[in-house]
Amino acid sequence: MDCISGTDAELQNIVSDPMSELLPDNVLLEYLESIQSESEEALFDPNFLENLSFLFDPDTICTQPSQALGQENASLTNKSSRKRKVDSPSNKTRTDTDGIPLYKRNKKATACSESPSRGKTPTITSQGSFQLSSNTFQNILRIPFRPLPLPSSGGSTLQFIQNICPLTPPLIGTVVPTWPTYVLVSPQHVSPGTQILPLSPADGTVAPPELTVSVLPVGSSSDRACKSLPSVSVDTLSPIKEGNPQKNTDSPPSKTERKIRPEAPECVKDYILHVKSCVRDVCCTMRGGMGMESHYVDVHLIQRKLLIKSGKNANKCLEKELVILSDSERKKAKLDRSQLFHSSDSRPKQSVALLGKAGVGKTTFIQRLCLDWASGSLPQFQFVFLLNFKILDLTQSNYSLKALLFDLSTSPRCEDSDSVFKHILSCPDEVLIIFDSFDHIKDFEGLLQSPAKSPTDTKYTIKQLFSGLFQKEILSGCTILISTRPKDVLNQVLRKIDSLLELGGFSPEDIELYTSKYFEDSSLQGSALKKIKSQSYIFSLCSNPLLCWTTCFLLEHQDSRGDGLPSTLTDLYLRVTSKHLQLAIPGNGSLSKKKQPDIPQLCKMAWEGFKNHNTHANPGSSTELLGCGLKSGILVSYETSERQENHFADLFTQNLLGALHLVQSKQMNEKMVVANCIVQQKKRKVQGESQDVVQRFVTGLVFQKAPDEGSILDSSINIKAKRKAVEAHLERMKPKDLVPARLLELFHCVYETNRAKFAKLLLKNLPGNLSFCGAQLCPSDVYVICHLLRQASAMKRTFSINLQDTCIPISGLKELVGLKCIKSFWAHTADTIGLWEVLHQSNDELNLKKAIEKFTLNPFKATQVYHIESLPGLVRIHREKKLPMSEFVSALDEGVPALQHLQRLEFELGVQNGPELFPKLIEVLPSLESLQHLDLEKNQIGDSGAEKLSGVLQFLACLKLLNLSQNFIGDAGVEKLAKALASIPSLQSLSLYGNVIADSGAEHLALVLPDMKFLQDLDVKFNKFTDIGATKLSAALKNCNGMKSLELWNDCIPYGVFEHLRLQDPRIRSL
């Protein structure tokens, strides 16, 4: 080893690090002399350190670190630097008193404990002990070997612990090469049983507190080395049990072994039993008095995926962050209620978001979950606290964590809250905190800023307490469940959620099951289900559990004359709300003017709540009105230990009453009606789903026919002016300018008018290319679209419809594709194949042939992974002319027309997913016979991708444009491409902008340029070739009479040369 035995090393002065003065002089001396005395082979012997030990003078190593440091510093005060002359390898090996070489002394002769690498844990002794611990940022001594045990004196422990960074450079001026790092420190006093974090990376050894700080010695080699190292995350483990400080197993202990659960006092056990008893009493009943056990219908949870965006638009609203799953993907992502907190990986789910639209049953699901806990189905949780954001005061700053859990939750009053709270702090991982109606937070700015830091005493706002819980600043380890609507506030916390789950609605089978449970009489069950299925729109609405209950309630209380079900959402809720108020009047009378409550005041209260983004019922209203609202079920009461509040029972009822106020109140003029609620082309929707529902109710109410007797709609109020204003607004609408989500709302508003006049006007103004891309379509959305488009055949209008990223169910896709006015459609490829299989299995060959012919992919824009993943399956169907689960399909005799007619393909998966999925695209390209435009920009396919592409270009005989810009393609890739480009006779435009093509690649391009007869534009700007490559391309350009432009500017070409070339041929351009 030249670094040790060379002459330079012999004369080298060793400059001491300031921290090395902490070490006894003889330790450094013995160590260096032991190294330099051995041969190179011995130094690399892995058993070298096991046979090596140092002789220590017991008087040198003091019991108290202050004494040790004092003696050492006193002896080194007059030394400006420690100089040691390294002997040559020929010197004799030092021996101990028995004549045994020091480095061969048996390790067992030492008195200290074994190092962590030998399976032992270091002993943390009382103040005065020396101990070694690892820390990347506080390297004192670097020893190029495994951990070395040092003898102790007077019970003190010296121990080397290996550093996690084996590449840290040696101290300046030392002769020690780059090896793993070891640290020798003096620990502070640690009382037995105290948990010390973070853990040492060496076999889980606990590091002393003085090494946990991130402050580095100024100018130390640790500082210089660690600046270039990536951050390393280290899992924290529980401390080793008392009584066995030296015991350490090979495998990490299980979770139950690492932490001993404190025994719950009797008062805590009694409180838990009391809470469970109260939960069973409260949560056993659903709305309408139905039993949870007897009437609840389990709905599936759907695991949602998150699309992580970067850049300035990364924190936009939730819908643009969530990947919209196809129907086939949603079926694969289904979970049961029992899997809510289960994790597929080792990381526990400590924060779960439950997403669902209004009425889908989020609150009922939480009730069912609490009942499961009370029945013992969630044994991982001792405590469950339910908090409803509807009734939390977010403005006050006088709440502690204890007050939040015991005073503001729905839990009963606790007599000994101090003891229970103390126990909660000792086992936070057994606590579940549920935040229901999370979308009722008003002030979303800075939601996660200024989190609560202390679980005791300090007073905070509700937002600060939530932030502290969510970011694990307080009660770290607890599980948080948030329920919210998908359009509202979750964007603030989306990136930190462990699991995003969507609560699915009722399937057709669930609707039948719920109806059979609602009506106990078997004769009523059959008739009710028959009526629901006969009205297709109402049946589609019943996929929403709340609307299914509403429909069943209306059927239960219909008059004996047997009126049919309403055909619009407005009419449905008018009848149901009127019936609720009728039943609340004593004597079950009708809503006559003498008996009816103050409905205008109730409507005004609903409108004020809509404007203020809440469901709160004004406590200043008359007691009679509030009593009637509570009795009818329009209002519900929420009670905590602090106060009791009344709120509207659901969004649909509140919005209907608010829309009634807009339509019937004299205080609301025509402009206010149009400005507040009707679909606007440019106005930003502030209230999301709530505003959508109000829009439908307003248009439905202004065009409502004469109300029935007992209706809350007052026929004596003249609303002609408002009807005319809404009508004029609908006539001015330009559907071509609307984004898909607002176009869908316009469809609903037109449907609620129940006027053929507006349907024809809408169909007349619709664009030929109809897109709902990105708007999630539920069954009622599909019905409304189909209902209106059916009338287009009479107007001789046809449409191409884009259903990408709509999660449309296959049943809805079948209905839409079957319309005569739909000439082509584009849906998720897997769903389209699923539709073909459904039609084939039902022997509907005629519609199958139409569905295959109408399917299109042009233009194909791949922006998400699944856009490409399903294409190879489609290609196999095209080549084999059969579906996956069938032998032969006559409708596929000519293959898949969508692949044959695809002309434009844009591959926009970016540098993250592009290289991985590019081979799947290569597999598909040979089947795209008509492809004319292939855009592969910014996918970093590199030379390997260019080589793969060159192998399939010969099949693209119609290709006119090829964009390979910014793909990190170099000379090797261009060489392969150049040979293949000449085989594309139709190529007119080629872009290799922003790659790494040098002179060799430019030369290969120049050689084939004259053979590309139809090429008009070549862009090779911002590459790496010099004036040599530019000159060759310029020379080749002279033989290309059909070329119109050659863009070749880059920083490697001298400006004078470029100007000379441009003067010679004006087709050469710069930027």
Side-chain angles (χ1 to χ4, degrees):
M1 298 176 61
D2 295 336
C3 61
I4 293 181
S5 59
T7 56
D8 292 340
E10 293 181 5
L11 300 176
Q12 184 176 5
N13 291 333
I14 300 177
V15 181
S16 67
D17 187 272
M19 297 300 294
S20 68
E21 299 297 326
L22 295 174
L23 300 176
D25 196 37
N26 66 325
V27 172
L28 290 173
L29 178 61
E30 291 291 340
Y31 165 70
L32 292 175
E33 289 180 350
S34 298
I35 291 178
Q36 60 87 27
S37 64
E38 291 303 315
S39 64
E40 181 173 345
E41 290 77 6
L43 289 175
F44 283 97
D45 182 3
N47 297 321
F48 175 75
L49 275 181
E50 297 190 15
N51 300 320
L52 178 65
S53 62
F54 300 137
L55 291 177
F56 284 83
D57 184 358
D59 297 330
T60 305
I61 304 174
C62 303
T63 304
Q64 298 298 326
S66 58
Q67 297 174 8
L69 293 177
Q71 293 175 6
E72 287 297 317
N73 290 336
S75 63
L76 299 175
T77 303
N78 298 325
K79 297 180 182 181
S80 59
S81 65
R82 181 184 290 111
K83 300 180 181 181
R84 307 186 192 279
K85 186 174 182 179
V86 182
D87 297 331
S88 63
S90 60
N91 291 347
K92 293 182 179 180
T93 304
R94 289 174 53 95
T95 62
D96 61 4
T97 56
D98 298 326
I100 302 174
L102 281 176
Y103 75 92
K104 293 183 179 180
R105 177 181 294 273
N106 193 325
K107 181 180 176 181
K108 294 181 180 179
T110 61
C112 72
S113 61
E114 296 184 14
S115 67
S117 64
R118 302 289 295 167
K120 298 294 183 178
T121 306
T123 303
I124 302 177
T125 59
S126 58
Q127 187 176 4
S129 301
F130 277 109
Q131 180 181 357
L132 277 169
S133 179
S134 64
N135 188 300
T136 308
F137 306 108
Q138 289 187 338
N139 301 299
I140 301 173
L141 175 64
R142 291 172 174 80
I143 304 175
F145 303 104
R146 294 188 301 170
L148 174 67
L150 296 178
S152 61
S153 176
S156 301
T157 300
L158 279 172
Q159 189 172 26
F160 284 111
I161 293 180
Q162 182 175 347
N163 191 287
I164 60 174
C165 175
L167 300 178
T168 307
L171 294 174
I172 297 177
T174 64
V175 296
V176 184
T178 301
W179 292 90
T181 304
Y182 301 82
V183 183
L184 181 62
V185 297
S186 174
Q188 296 177 356
H189 176 72
V190 181
S191 59
T194 303
Q195 183 176 0
I196 304 171
L197 296 176
L199 300 178
S200 167
D203 296 339
T205 306
V206 180
E210 62 265 30
L211 293 187
T212 63
V213 295
S214 59
V215 180
L216 307 181
V218 179
S220 69
S221 59
S222 305
D223 187 30
R224 293 188 296 273
C226 293
K227 288 180 180 178
S228 61
L229 296 175
S231 59
V232 180
S233 60
V234 181
D235 294 334
T236 57
L237 304 174
S238 299
I240 300 170
K241 295 180 182 180
E242 291 184 61
N244 296 306
Q246 297 294 331
K247 186 176 180 180
N248 189 12
T249 58
D250 295 334
S251 60
S254 64
K255 183 177 180 179
T256 56
E257 292 175 345
R258 288 199 309 264
K259 183 173 181 179
I260 300 176
R261 300 293 180 191
E263 181 67 23
E266 288 300 322
C267 62
V268 174
K269 294 179 181 179
D270 293 341
Y271 177 71
I272 294 174
L273 292 176
H274 178 52
V275 172
K276 288 185 176 182
S277 176
C278 292
V279 167
R280 284 192 290 268
D281 293 339
V282 173
C283 296
C284 64
T285 306
M286 297 191 297
R287 186 175 179 181
M290 296 183 297
M292 181 72 73
E293 296 289 352
S294 58
H295 289 78
Y296 182 77
V297 176
D298 263 318
V299 292
H300 286 290
L301 296 167
I302 300 167
Q303 185 73 58
R304 295 299 299 269
K305 299 177 182 178
L306 184 63
L307 179 64
I308 301 296
K309 295 185 177 181
S310 58
K312 61 182 180 181
N313 294 326
N315 291 319
K316 282 194 173 182
C317 70
L318 176 63
E319 286 188 327
K320 294 185 179 179
E321 296 283 354
L322 283 175
V323 175
I324 300 177
L325 303 178
S326 66
D327 187 60
S328 56
E329 288 177 319
R330 289 173 72 88
K331 291 177 180 176
K332 295 177 183 177
K334 282 184 178 180
L335 301 173
D336 294 324
R337 188 174 74 250
S338 60
Q339 298 172 286
L340 178 63
F341 300 108
H342 291 181
S343 180
S344 57
D345 52 17
S346 58
R347 188 181 68 167
K349 290 182 180 179
Q350 290 191 346
S351 57
V352 180
L354 183 66
L355 311 179
K357 292 186 175 181
V360 79
K362 298 182 295 296
T363 299
T364 305
F365 179 87
I366 289 174
Q367 279 184 266
R368 175 75 250 192
L369 196 67
C370 292
L371 194 60
D372 289 344
W373 169 75
S375 303
S377 299
L378 293 173
Q380 66 267 41
F381 300 118
Q382 279 196 66
F383 301 91
V384 173
F385 295 98
L386 173 58
L387 296 112
N388 195 329
F389 267 102
K390 286 182 180 180
I391 58 175
L392 295 181
D393 188 351
L394 304 178
T395 60
Q396 298 296 323
S397 303
N398 57 348
Y399 301 111
S400 64
L401 177 60
K402 178 184 170 184
L404 179 74
L405 299 180
F406 291 98
D407 298 337
L408 301 183
S409 71
T410 58
S411 300
R413 182 176 295 277
C414 180
E415 298 298 333
D416 191 359
S417 58
D418 291 335
S419 299
V420 177
F421 185 62
K422 182 180 178 181
H423 184 73
I424 288 174
L425 294 179
S426 67
C427 53
D429 55 332
E430 296 182 354
V431 178
L432 171 62
I433 304 177
I434 304 174
F435 292 96
D436 193 14
S437 303
F438 190 65
D439 43 278
H440 280 73
I441 295 180
K442 296 180 183 179
D443 184 12
F444 306 144
E445 295 297 328
L447 182 60
L448 298 182
Q449 295 178 3
S450 303
K453 299 288 186 178
S454 173
T456 56
D457 301 330
T458 311
K459 304 297 183 181
Y460 299 101
T461 63
I462 300 294
K463 285 177 58 178
Q464 287 175 323
L465 287 169
F466 169 79
S467 178
L469 289 167
F470 186 78
Q471 298 183 80
K472 302 178 178 60
E473 296 287 347
I474 54 175
L475 207 62
S476 177
C478 71
T479 301
I480 294 178
L481 174 62
I482 300 169
S483 74
T484 184
R485 294 174 193 158
K487 282 189 177 180
D488 295 320
V489 308
L490 197 60
N491 59 304
Q492 294 283 339
V493 297
L494 188 58
R495 291 174 182 268
K496 295 186 178 182
I497 288 286
D498 293 333
S499 179
L500 285 165
L501 299 173
E502 179 185 349
L503 194 61
F506 280 171
S507 64
E509 295 77 17
D510 292 334
I511 296 174
E512 294 186 19
L513 177 60
Y514 183 84
T515 305
S516 64
K517 288 186 173 185
Y518 188 94
F519 296 97
E520 297 179 357
D521 191 339
S522 57
S523 60
L524 293 177
Q525 292 175 6
S527 61
L529 190 58
K530 183 178 179 180
K531 288 182 179 180
I532 292 175
K533 288 185 174 181
S534 65
Q535 176 51 265
S536 299
Y537 178 64
I538 295 298
F539 186 72
S540 70
L541 286 178
C542 285
S543 62
N544 184 303
L546 173 62
L547 298 181
C548 188
W549 174 83
T550 302
T551 303
C552 290
F553 174 84
L554 182 61
L555 287 171
E556 182 185 11
H557 295 90
Q558 263 188 341
D559 295 335
S560 57
R561 59 185 179 178
D563 291 340
L565 287 173
S567 59
T568 65
L569 180 65
T570 305
D571 196 10
L572 173 67
Y573 257 85
L574 266 176
R575 295 192 196 182
V576 169
T577 306
S578 300
K579 182 62 66 175
H580 276 305
L581 290 172
Q582 286 178 18
L583 295 175
I585 295 176
N588 197 19
S590 62
L591 287 177
S592 61
K593 290 186 177 180
K594 294 182 180 179
K595 294 183 178 180
Q596 71 178 12
D598 191 355
I599 294 178
Q601 181 63 28
L602 190 64
C603 294
K604 183 179 180 181
M605 190 163 54
W607 174 249
E608 291 295 330
F610 171 80
K611 287 196 305 180
N612 296 326
H613 306 267
N614 63 47
T615 60
H616 189 245
N618 186 4
S621 303
S622 66
T623 306
E624 182 183 356
L625 180 62
L626 293 176
C628 180
L630 291 171
K631 186 176 181 180
S632 65
I634 292 176
L635 300 178
V636 292
S637 179
Y638 295 97
E639 184 176 357
T640 67
S641 59
E642 282 198 341
R643 61 183 180 277
Q644 180 177 350
E645 291 184 0
N646 299 318
H647 290 258
F648 285 94
D650 61 80
L651 174 141
F652 293 95
T653 301
Q654 180 182 2
N655 287 355
L656 174 73
L657 295 172
L660 266 174
H661 179 72
L662 273 174
V663 172
Q664 296 192 146
S665 174
K666 295 181 180 179
Q667 300 173 355
M668 310 296 289
N669 57 32
E670 299 81 18
K671 291 183 179 181
M672 295 177 71
V673 171
V674 173
N676 277 293
C677 293
I678 306 303
V679 177
Q680 303 292 324
Q681 292 184 223
K682 297 182 179 180
K683 186 177 179 180
R684 180 184 176 187
K685 292 200 304 181
V686 178
Q687 294 167 310
E689 185 180 4
S690 183
Q691 186 169 339
D692 294 342
V693 176
V694 168
Q695 289 172 177
R696 300 179 197 180
F697 282 148
V698 167
T699 51
L701 287 171
V702 295
F703 293 104
Q704 190 72 19
K705 296 178 181 179
D708 297 332
E709 183 181 356
S711 174
I712 58 175
L713 186 62
D714 192 347
S715 58
S716 63
I717 299 177
N718 187 353
I719 59 172
K720 290 182 179 180
K722 294 180 180 179
R723 181 186 300 132
K724 188 175 182 180
V726 173
E727 184 175 342
H729 179 77
L730 290 174
E731 291 175 350
R732 291 194 303 268
M733 292 295 298
K734 297 179 180 180
K736 296 179 181 180
D737 300 333
L738 296 178
V739 297
R742 297 199 179 185
L743 179 62
L744 178 62
E745 281 310 308
L746 179 59
F747 267 74
H748 276 285
C749 288
V750 170
Y751 177 81
E752 290 295 325
T753 64
N754 206 14
R755 298 286 193 277
K757 168 186 175 182
F758 297 111
K760 292 179 180 179
L761 182 64
L762 173 64
L763 293 172
K764 179 182 177 180
N765 296 327
L766 281 177
N769 293 321
L770 199 58
S771 176
F772 292 100
C773 181
Q776 296 192 46
L777 301 180
C778 64
S780 60
D781 297 329
V782 176
Y783 175 86
V784 168
I785 295 172
C786 289
H787 177 81
L788 294 178
L789 290 182
R790 282 193 183 97
Q791 305 176 41
S793 299
M795 302 174 63
K796 298 181 179 181
R797 286 217 62 185
T798 58
F799 303 96
S800 296
I801 187 168
N802 185 355
L803 299 171
Q804 278 284 98
D805 299 334
T806 59
C807 67
I808 181 172
I810 292 180
S811 58
L813 184 61
K814 176 183 176 181
E815 191 173 357
L816 265 175
V817 172
L819 297 177
K820 293 181 179 180
C821 64
I822 300 298
K823 64 179 181 180
S824 64
F825 75 96
W826 184 20
H828 191 284
T829 305
D831 290 348
T832 303
I833 296 174
L835 171 63
W836 294 348
E837 290 178 337
V838 168
L839 293 172
H840 179 66
Q841 291 168 4
S842 61
N843 295 320
D844 193 353
E845 295 298 323
L846 180 61
N847 284 326
L848 173 59
K849 187 172 181 62
K850 290 181 179 179
I852 293 174
E853 292 174 349
K854 289 182 178 182
F855 178 58
T856 183
L857 290 171
N858 190 51
F860 186 82
K861 188 173 184 179
T863 57
Q864 296 187 29
V865 172
Y866 73 85
H867 290 159
I868 294 295
E869 285 182 334
S870 54
L871 278 183
L874 187 65
V875 169
R876 283 192 294 272
I877 293 174
H878 174 68
R879 292 173 180 170
E880 299 173 2
K881 294 180 173 51
K882 71 181 187 68
L883 294 171
M885 305 301 293
S886 62
E887 292 296 329
F888 174 76
V889 178
S890 58
L892 289 168
D893 285 344
E894 298 179 0
V896 180
L899 292 174
Q900 296 171 346
H901 301 153
L902 179 59
Q903 297 181 349
R904 185 184 182 95
L905 191 153
E906 299 177 17
F907 188 76
E908 297 185 0
L909 291 179
V911 296
Q912 183 176 2
N913 296 316
E916 180 183 354
L917 292 172
F918 188 68
K920 290 186 179 291
L921 178 65
I922 294 297
E923 183 182 346
V924 171
L925 286 178
S927 301
L928 308 182
E929 304 165 0
S930 303
L931 191 64
Q932 298 180 6
H933 181 116
L934 180 57
D935 189 347
L936 303 173
E937 185 175 359
K938 291 184 181 178
N939 288 287
Q940 204 168 356
I941 63 174
D943 288 339
S944 61
E947 183 176 356
K948 291 183 177 69
L949 180 63
S950 64
V952 298
L953 285 178
Q954 57 182 324
F955 300 103
L956 306 179
C958 300
L959 191 64
K960 295 182 179 180
L961 184 146
L962 178 60
N963 184 2
L964 292 169
S965 302
Q966 303 182 64
N967 271 302
F968 210 71
I969 299 174
D971 290 345
V974 170
E975 181 180 358
K976 299 291 184 181
L977 279 173
K979 299 175 182 178
L981 289 172
S983 65
I984 311 177
S986 60
L987 191 62
Q988 297 177 3
S989 177
L990 174 63
S991 176
L992 288 163
Y993 162 92
N995 285 288
V996 287
I997 304 170
D999 290 332
S1000 176
E1003 183 177 356
H1004 284 104
L1005 277 177
L1007 289 175
V1008 300
L1009 208 54
D1011 298 331
M1012 303 167 70
K1013 301 298 183 181
F1014 292 93
L1015 188 65
Q1016 299 178 6
D1017 302 292
L1018 175 61
D1019 186 355
V1020 287
K1021 295 191 305 291
F1022 296 104
N1023 277 278
K1024 301 298 181 182
F1025 55 83
T1026 64
D1027 54 333
I1028 298 174
T1031 303
K1032 291 185 181 294
L1033 286 171
S1034 177
L1037 183 61
K1038 297 177 181 178
N1039 300 322
C1040 304
N1041 297 326
M1043 282 200 56
K1044 296 180 180 179
S1045 66
L1046 172 61
E1047 300 182 39
L1048 50 73
W1049 166 255
N1050 68 68
D1051 294 338
C1052 301
I1053 304 174
Y1055 182 74
V1057 175
F1058 179 79
E1059 285 297 316
H1060 175 71
L1061 295 176
R1062 193 167 64 167
L1063 289 175
Q1064 285 185 336
D1065 195 329
R1067 292 177 294 176
I1068 297 177
R1069 300 176 183 175
S1070 55
L1071 300 177

